[in-house]
Amino acid sequence: MITVEMEKQCGCFKKSDYNAVQTFANKDEALLAASEMCVDMNENFCQKHNFQVAEDGEKLIIKMQMNG
Ligand SMILES: [Zn+2]
């Protein structure tokens, strides 16, 4: 099992239907889902934040940075 966790949750994330913590059967599945989530969030959220997947041992963290 691999966990994907949001490092921080901005307002747009809280308003979205995504969950802050999700679990997947394996790393490939988790990576794919996390990357797709980042693309979607980077395109459809407020554009003030940038989301990026990072590996952290047995989990994946979606990091959030302010744009600009
Ligand atoms: Zn935001």
Side-chain angles (χ1 to χ4, degrees):
M1 291 283 272
I2 291 274
T3 307
V4 175
E5 283 181 26
M6 290 297 291
E7 180 188 39
K8 292 181 202 139
Q9 299 171 49
C10 68
C12 2
F13 185 86
K14 289 184 181 143
K15 275 183 261 161
S16 78
D17 293 328
Y18 286 123
N19 294 312
V21 180
Q22 300 173 74
T23 48
F24 295 90
N26 58 60
K27 199 173 205 173
D28 285 351
E29 227 175 86
L31 260 178
L32 188 69
S35 325
E36 281 176 353
M37 223 173 125
C38 284
V39 170
D40 181 53
M41 296 191 297
N42 285 335
E43 281 176 6
N44 298 313
F45 279 10
C46 60
Q47 319 268 312
K48 286 186 205 127
H49 309 110
N50 184 269
F51 301 92
Q52 211 177 330
V53 187
E55 292 193 31
D56 180 17
E58 285 303 289
K59 33 181 188 177
L60 298 180
I61 308 284
I62 297 183
K63 302 213 174 245
M64 188 187 91
Q65 286 179 323
M66 294 301 286
N67 266 337

